[in-house]
């Protein structure tokens, strides 16, 4: 019998990747391709949905070919994706009617202010677990419909379909036969009631979104359908899907209530498993569905940082301080500290716990002696400070401190960052051997549905520690650093 693998499609904000895993959760082969970022106006971010699909398909084929892996060796496909990004396409042709509006895009901020002014904040938060913000899919979908189908004639006739990125990929992989979403992605649209597991009719009516254009919500680990045979030569089962951050929580084997992870990606995302309970945050965090498996829903508390690793990209692309992301650690190590410099990367506003769409980035504390090394270190430390704010909010919601944080994402390879993170959190920070936990989580979900893995206990045994970071700051130093950060943040808030 030939070896069997799981194919994970990881459709991210800046690139599409395919990673192929074996039964031990180890990477067998991978392929990656960046794609175009579109910025039509200040604060607006778009992607070409066709480029998303073609780039994802191309890396899937490349990962098979370059790894000398036959399609027959693939047990199933799991998908994980940038969340909240909104796509509308024609059912008959499969052609998008507008560019994908990306999760980072702030174009609907003013409309969100209108909803808040109507007194809908608490109602929406109770139903969806979310605050009213341009971050989520619902107002993005309304914005597209207002421009391409203002009277909703085509949408009501079933001619237009909506989906977040996993829905778009599954639709294309199955040749338009399957229009589904998973519970984790559905819970990020601001249209889905996480208590009843249904699209919320009152919210749909307020946003003038016909329900017939929405995908069918399903569990994160189940067989959605099969790929078109001509894509890979044979049909392959699509058996798992989850939003990137929920997939990372799963890939980190945070299966127990109270376990928490942070992903240092384009943004930064802390998720804490709250088990079968919805925890209503009083500190600016979101309640969300972590996953639905075996007819059981697991919930999470989430804090979202809009700009984390993207700060390092900004140093590279806009300032030219570095040529590649790994260089930031080398520059930061050239100085012992930031000399009082703080960089607040509110390039697209601030996420949790501030939720300020109108905040903008700033570098504060500059003196004549400040140089690129201090700025590089301040950029790196900003990622840790924003994570601190989220963990601090979680501790207040739970009424107890966080004892341990698991980390993943590209920037988690940065030892200086993780050492600083442990210092200001005053807790252990653990990095696993495999930091590709987002795609690994999607692979696990697919493999559970097909029996490739027998149980979540078997998956937990695959998690292995690479390195543990422990606090090295005393309380006074930690407090001084954090107070300086909060003072810097206060400078950019749109109060």
């Amino acid at each position: 019998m030939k070896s069997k693998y799981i194919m994970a499609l990881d459709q991210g904000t800046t690139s599409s990747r395919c990673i192929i895993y074996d039964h031990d959760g180890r990477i067998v082969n991978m392929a990656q391709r960046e794609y175009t970022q579109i910025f039509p106006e200040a604060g607006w971010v778009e992607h070409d949905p066709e480029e998303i699909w073609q780039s994802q398909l191309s890396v899937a084929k490349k990962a098979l070919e370059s790894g000398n892996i036959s399609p027959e060796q693939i047990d199933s496909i799991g998908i994980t994706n940038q969340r909240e990004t909104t796509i509308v396409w024609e059912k008959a042709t499969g052609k998008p009617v507008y560019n994908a509006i990306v999760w980072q895009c702030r174009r609907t901020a003013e409309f969100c202010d209108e909803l808040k002014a109507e007194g809908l904040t608490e109602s929406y938060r109770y139903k969806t677990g979310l605050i009213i913000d341009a971050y989520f899919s619902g107002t993005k979908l309304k914005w597209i419909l207002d421009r391409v189908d203002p009277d909703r004639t085509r949408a009501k006739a079933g001619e237009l379909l909506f989906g977040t990125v996993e829905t778009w990929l599954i639709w294309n992989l199955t040749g338009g036969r399957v229009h589904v979403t998973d519970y984790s992605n559905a819970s990020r649209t601001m249209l889905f009631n996480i208590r009843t597991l249904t699209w919320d009719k009152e919210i749909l009516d307020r946003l003038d979104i016909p329900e017939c254009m929405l995908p069918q919500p399903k569990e994160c680990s189940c067989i959605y359908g099969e790929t078109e045979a001509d894509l890979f030569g044979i049909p392959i089962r699509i058996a798992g899907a989850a939003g990137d951050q929920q997939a990372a929580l799963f890939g980190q084997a945070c299966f127990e209530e109270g376990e928490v992870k942070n992903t240092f990606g384009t943004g930064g995302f802390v998720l804490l498993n709250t088990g079968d309970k919805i925890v209503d945050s009083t500190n600016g965090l979101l309640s969300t569905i972590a996953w639905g498996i075996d007819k059981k829903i697991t919930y999470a508390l989430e804090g979202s940082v809009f700009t984390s690793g993207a700060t390092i990209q900004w140093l590279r692309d806009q300032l030219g301080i570095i040529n590649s992301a790994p260089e930031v650690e080398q520059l930061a190590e050239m100085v012992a500290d930031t000399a009082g410099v703080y960089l607040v990367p509110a390039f697209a506003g601030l996420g949790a716990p501030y939720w300020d769409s109108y905040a903008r980035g700033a570098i504060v504390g500059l003196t004549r002696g400040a140089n690129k090394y201090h700025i590089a270190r301040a950029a790196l430390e900003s990622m840790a400070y924003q994570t601190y704010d989220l963990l601090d909010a979680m501790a207040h919601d739970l009424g107890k401190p966080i004892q341990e944080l698991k980390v993943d994402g590209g920037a988690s390879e940065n030892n200086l960052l993780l050492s600083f993170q442990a210092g200001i959190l005053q807790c252990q920070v653990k990095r696993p051997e495999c930091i590709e936990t987002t795609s690994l989580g999607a692979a696990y979900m697919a493999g559970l549905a097909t029996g490739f893995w027998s149980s979540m206990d078997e998956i937990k045994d695959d998690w292995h520690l690479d390195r543990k970071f422990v606090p090295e700051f005393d309380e006074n130093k930690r407090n001084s650093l954090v107070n300086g950060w909060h003072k810097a943040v206060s400078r950019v808030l749109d109060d």
Side-chain angles (χ1 to χ4, degrees):
M1 182 178 176
K2 291 184 177 180
S3 298
K4 287 278 189 177
Y5 306 112
I6 302 287
M7 175 186 285
L9 303 183
D10 183 356
Q11 206 301 300
T13 306
T14 58
S15 71
S16 295
R17 301 193 302 165
C18 175
I19 304 181
I20 297 176
Y21 289 95
D22 65 15
H23 191 269
D24 294 325
R26 293 190 172 90
I27 295 173
V28 177
N29 200 35
M30 66 182 296
Q32 180 170 351
R33 177 174 152 189
E34 291 192 2
Y35 62 93
T36 309
Q37 306 296 304
I38 304 168
F39 305 102
E41 296 184 23
W44 291 28
V45 191
E46 296 179 359
H47 293 152
D48 177 352
E50 293 279 14
E51 189 179 6
I52 288 177
W53 160 236
Q54 291 300 329
S55 64
Q56 191 65 75
L57 179 62
S58 71
V59 294
K61 291 181 176 180
K62 183 177 179 181
L64 292 174
E65 182 180 354
S66 64
N68 196 27
I69 299 167
S70 70
E72 288 82 5
Q73 291 178 282
I74 301 300
D75 171 85
S76 55
I77 295 172
I79 298 173
T80 185
N81 56 286
Q82 53 167 315
R83 304 172 304 169
E84 297 98 16
T85 295
T86 301
I87 305 173
V88 179
W89 66 94
E90 294 176 338
K91 183 177 182 179
T93 66
K95 298 298 182 184
V97 299
Y98 195 86
N99 274 342
I101 300 183
V102 180
W103 59 273
Q104 299 162 308
C105 188
R106 311 306 298 166
R107 74 184 65 188
T108 62
E110 289 186 5
F111 176 69
C112 289
D113 291 341
E114 292 180 26
L115 295 177
K116 294 174 191 175
E118 293 174 21
L120 295 172
T121 299
E122 284 308 307
S123 169
Y124 280 36
R125 185 196 57 76
Y126 178 79
K127 292 176 176 182
T128 69
L130 311 176
I131 65 151
I132 296 174
D133 192 80
Y135 178 26
F136 306 108
S137 312
T139 58
K140 294 175 167 65
L141 174 52
K142 179 185 187 303
W143 191 96
I144 293 175
L145 289 177
D146 284 348
R147 278 142 189 86
V148 305
D149 188 25
D151 59 4
R152 305 304 194 259
T153 303
R154 299 185 68 195
K156 290 177 180 176
E159 296 175 10
L160 301 181
L161 299 179
F162 155 76
T164 43
V165 172
E166 89 295 345
T167 299
W168 171 243
L169 292 179
I170 293 171
W171 169 269
N172 281 284
L173 285 166
T174 61
R177 297 191 309 273
V178 179
H179 186 218
V180 298
T181 185
D182 69 275
Y183 286 144
S184 73
N185 273 296
S187 75
R188 310 297 299 186
T189 61
M190 210 176 79
L191 303 172
F192 190 73
N193 190 313
I194 63 173
R195 299 171 189 272
T196 63
L197 304 183
T198 58
W199 300 112
D200 190 275
K201 295 187 185 304
E202 288 185 357
I203 297 177
L204 294 180
D205 286 346
R206 175 61 188 88
L207 301 187
D208 198 10
I209 295 171
E211 187 172 355
C212 62
M213 69 182 304
L214 306 183
Q216 178 186 2
K218 303 194 80 170
E219 292 193 341
C220 299
S221 179
C222 68
I223 298 174
Y224 303 114
E226 294 182 335
T227 64
E228 287 278 86
D230 61 355
L231 292 179
F232 301 105
I234 61 167
I236 301 175
R237 293 176 292 184
I238 307 167
D244 52 10
Q245 302 314 315
Q246 289 97 329
L249 188 70
F250 201 83
Q252 285 275 30
C254 291
F255 301 148
E256 303 300 321
E257 185 177 334
E259 292 187 311
V260 59
K261 71 88 195 173
N262 179 48
T263 297
F264 291 104
T266 303
F269 302 90
V270 177
L271 266 73
L272 182 143
N273 185 324
T274 62
D276 59 2
K277 298 185 293 295
I278 298 174
V279 175
D280 295 317
S281 175
T282 58
N283 291 280
L285 301 177
L286 309 175
S287 304
T288 196
I289 293 178
W291 49 76
I293 295 177
D294 290 335
K295 298 181 173 59
K296 178 184 175 184
I297 300 297
T298 297
Y299 294 94
L301 263 181
E302 174 170 338
S304 307
V305 170
F306 293 157
T307 306
S308 184
T311 310
I312 310 306
Q313 294 172 333
W314 178 74
L315 293 183
R316 180 193 67 192
D317 300 336
Q318 268 66 45
L319 294 193
I321 289 178
I322 56 175
N323 294 315
S324 63
E327 289 180 25
V328 72
E329 186 170 13
Q330 300 167 23
L331 260 65
E333 287 180 331
M334 297 297 291
V335 288
D337 54 43
T338 67
V341 174
Y342 288 87
L343 192 162
V344 184
F347 303 126
L350 287 173
Y354 304 102
W355 293 111
D356 188 337
S357 294
Y358 303 104
R360 288 297 176 262
I363 301 175
V364 302
L366 291 172
T367 64
R368 182 66 179 81
N371 57 41
K372 64 180 180 180
Y373 305 121
H374 297 114
I375 292 173
R377 191 174 183 108
L380 202 61
E381 291 183 359
S382 75
M383 300 166 69
Y385 284 125
Q386 291 179 102
T387 304
Y388 167 87
D389 284 341
L390 300 182
L391 268 292
D392 185 56
M394 285 182 176
H396 280 92
D397 278 337
L398 297 174
K400 57 184 178 181
I402 304 297
Q403 302 292 338
E404 175 183 296
L405 175 67
K406 291 181 176 179
V407 295
D408 53 70
S412 67
E413 293 180 309
N414 191 308
N415 293 329
L416 180 61
L417 169 63
L418 299 192
S419 179
F420 187 82
Q421 185 74 86
I424 61 169
L425 283 177
Q426 293 291 293
C427 79
Q428 293 185 0
V429 174
K430 292 184 175 181
R431 178 175 64 201
E433 288 182 357
C434 178
I435 62 170
E436 299 291 349
T437 54
T438 299
S439 58
L440 182 58
Y444 282 150
M445 288 175 176
L448 276 176
T450 64
F452 188 80
W453 285 289
S454 62
S455 67
M456 290 165 68
D457 287 337
E458 183 182 8
I459 289 171
K460 201 173 185 75
D461 289 339
D462 279 342
W463 192 94
H464 300 291
L465 177 69
D466 170 55
R467 182 171 170 182
K468 178 171 65 176
F469 298 82
V470 298
E472 295 179 352
F473 298 162
D474 62 37
E475 195 73 15
N476 287 336
K477 181 176 181 179
R478 191 277 294 266
N479 290 342
S480 176
L481 289 168
V482 170
N483 289 340
W485 164 254
H486 288 150
K487 188 176 180 180
V489 170
S490 71
R491 299 289 193 269
V492 308
L493 294 175
D494 185 55
D495 292 333

